[in-house]
Amino acid sequence: MIPYAPERILVQEESWQDSVTLEILERLPGVEVRTVKSREVRFPEPSQGSPAPWEDKNTLFLLRHPGSFLKRCQGSGADTCCNYYVLSCTWNCHLDCSYCVLQSYLGGRALVVGTNFQDLMREVREKLGSSPHRIFRIGTGELADSLALDPATGFSRRLVPFFARLSNGFLELKTKSDCVANLEGLDHGGHTVVSWSVNSKRICRTEEEKAPTLEERLAAALQCQKWGYRLGFHFDPLIYYDGWEDDYREAVGEIFRSINPERVAWLSLGALRFPPHLIGHVKKRFPESKIPYGEFVPGHHGKMRYFRPIREAMYRKMISWIREAAPGLTVYLCMESFAVWEGSFRIQYPGPSFTPDRLDAAIIKG
Ligand code: SF4
């Protein structure tokens, strides 16, 4: 993967006091660096469009995040929730997948890194300390790719050992990248799952053009498995097209030809869903994309999605191929209703296939 190389770095004046800032600048030598006043670094609202210099992915902002780093995953209103938390320390992504919701969600395309890492760690410690008897699964891949910026930020080298010392905290690093070099040799204590968002080769090629190929992602996953990490996989978004069955079946087979399923903590499935206004962005920015021309209906969360029978048929087939290749693997659906769970797994919900506790158990046993 081509590493992220900004043309300019804008540093909020207070961020100069943070070691994160100095480390990032050391890793990105030769880039123009400018100090900016605090009032210039407020994230614009999506409705404001992208005022300069926010409009440009070649801009990297280093700033002190004033709000909360840790939030509950919204689950998009689905009536099944897996009790997941999201931890945001970077925002935006340069991989430019055509369907990426970030292009309409955040007001601006610049990449942003929070430099007040001490505040982040304090917040996590306080939250986990307030409920010492429950397990927290926390992922950093919600508003950015967890590892695509890691060669510049080195955040994994801070986060992984930090979570290793939290008795009730488990970190998920979710990525499409192959930037795993920083993970080598870290004391992860079994508290980090490294997971990949994967897709059929055709979708990787056409809708995730700047991301590594499926083979490259799997090579990185295999490397992490050798370093003792547990892995996760997310077929998300599943995209419906003529010939999807052969392509996705092949992708499932390819994963488990190299990866040991016993070291996989979980695998999730999520059919394509997006806010209605995303379509305009996709048509404008990715004229070759076929995504805007599918048939969608509004879901209970206001997002557009495939008709329920199509989703359930996709899930059922995916589950059967996964069961063939990796019997016993924990599989769950992302942002779906009880009814879709029942139709897809052919179970009465709540059934033996899934509960949030089972996900927690899957990770703890590792
Ligand atoms: S890798 Fe993830 S965060 Fe990055 S552009 Fe693709 S979908 Fe968005």
Side-chain angles (χ1 to χ4, degrees):
M1 189 185 103
I2 301 167
Y4 176 61
E7 287 176 5
R8 67 197 72 81
I9 302 175
L10 305 185
V11 183
Q12 182 189 22
E13 47 196 353
E14 290 86 351
S15 284
W16 281 109
Q17 297 161 34
D18 300 327
S19 58
V20 165
T21 302
L22 304 178
E23 286 176 18
I24 290 175
L25 295 181
E26 257 176 43
R27 293 191 190 104
L28 295 171
V31 182
E32 174 201 341
V33 179
R34 197 150 51 83
T35 303
V36 288
K37 303 264 185 230
S38 294
R39 66 175 180 279
E40 291 178 56
V41 292
R42 280 219 327 266
F43 244 119
E45 293 297 319
S47 57
Q48 292 176 318
S50 302
W54 289 92
E55 66 199 358
D56 189 348
K57 286 203 173 188
N58 294 316
T59 300
L60 175 64
F61 265 109
L62 307 183
L63 55 80
R64 284 196 167 176
H65 179 50
S68 185
F69 288 94
L70 186 64
K71 297 198 169 117
R72 266 197 93 140
C73 173
Q74 295 171 17
S76 269
D79 46 14
T80 51
C81 170
C82 70
N83 281 333
Y84 197 70
Y85 277 75
V86 294
L87 183 68
S88 299
C89 41
T90 56
W91 292 264
N92 251 333
C93 181
H94 63 294
L95 293 182
D96 260 341
C97 303
S98 64
Y99 53 75
C100 181
V101 71
L102 296 182
Q103 59 193 311
S104 70
Y105 185 72
L106 298 172
R109 301 202 200 293
L111 275 74
V112 179
V113 174
T115 59
N116 44 335
F117 214 81
Q118 299 301 327
D119 293 337
L120 176 149
M121 291 194 295
R122 190 178 58 243
E123 192 180 338
V124 172
R125 260 193 231 104
E126 284 173 5
K127 180 73 190 171
L128 273 56
S130 69
S131 303
H133 301 300
R134 65 157 290 197
I135 296 296
F136 288 84
R137 286 176 297 105
I138 300 174
T140 55
E142 172 85 354
L143 297 177
D145 183 286
S146 291
L147 291 174
L149 269 192
D150 205 58
T153 65
F155 277 172
S156 64
R157 297 196 75 82
R158 292 170 180 260
L159 285 169
V160 171
F162 172 62
F163 271 84
R165 293 190 295 274
L166 298 171
S167 58
N168 59 336
F170 291 85
L171 173 69
E172 181 177 22
L173 296 171
K174 197 187 289 184
T175 189
K176 277 195 188 87
S177 83
D178 53 3
C179 303
V180 295
N182 282 336
L183 299 176
E184 184 175 10
L186 295 182
D187 167 22
H188 54 75
H191 279 230
T192 293
V193 171
V194 194
S195 69
W196 271 265
S197 166
V198 285
N199 224 303
S200 71
K201 285 186 183 169
R202 175 164 154 185
I203 295 299
C204 294
R205 197 172 57 243
T206 56
E207 309 290 346
E208 302 172 352
E209 263 182 90
K210 291 190 191 160
T213 62
L214 180 62
E215 292 90 334
E216 289 165 336
R217 292 179 218 180
L218 293 179
L222 190 58
Q223 183 61 75
C224 288
Q225 192 172 70
K226 287 181 182 156
W227 290 333
Y229 291 94
R230 304 198 80 205
L231 306 180
F233 291 97
H234 302 280
F235 274 96
D236 197 340
L238 284 172
I239 295 180
Y240 183 82
Y241 57 87
D242 279 347
W244 73 270
E245 287 105 322
D246 289 345
D247 291 359
Y248 278 97
R249 186 174 197 168
E250 186 192 320
V252 170
E254 188 148 345
I255 290 173
F256 294 107
R257 266 196 294 280
S258 56
I259 300 296
N260 175 3
E262 289 180 8
R263 298 299 299 157
V264 177
W266 51 61
L267 184 152
S268 79
L269 303 172
L272 179 67
R273 57 212 175 272
F274 53 86
H277 54 271
L278 185 75
I279 286 291
H281 292 271
V282 179
K283 281 185 176 166
K284 196 164 139 203
R285 299 188 61 231
F286 303 96
E288 304 294 318
S289 172
K290 302 280 184 294
I291 284 178
Y293 308 101
E295 284 189 328
F296 303 101
V297 288
H300 58 279
H301 38 49
K303 291 185 181 173
M304 306 305 288
R305 61 189 342 177
Y306 299 125
F307 287 91
R308 181 174 147 194
I310 293 178
R311 304 204 308 279
E312 287 185 8
M314 293 186 89
Y315 293 143
R316 275 198 299 274
K317 288 193 176 167
M318 287 295 292
I319 290 163
S320 72
W321 300 327
I322 293 161
R323 293 280 178 254
E324 268 172 37
L329 187 68
T330 298
V331 180
Y332 68 96
L333 305 182
C334 192
M335 298 180 185
E336 288 290 5
S337 63
F338 291 146
V340 174
W341 276 79
E342 290 184 341
S344 305
F345 284 95
R346 299 187 190 284
I347 52 164
Q348 283 268 296
Y349 192 91
S353 298
F354 171 82
T355 63
D357 290 348
R358 173 134 188 236
L359 270 189
D360 291 343
I363 188 164
I364 294 164
K365 79 178 181 196

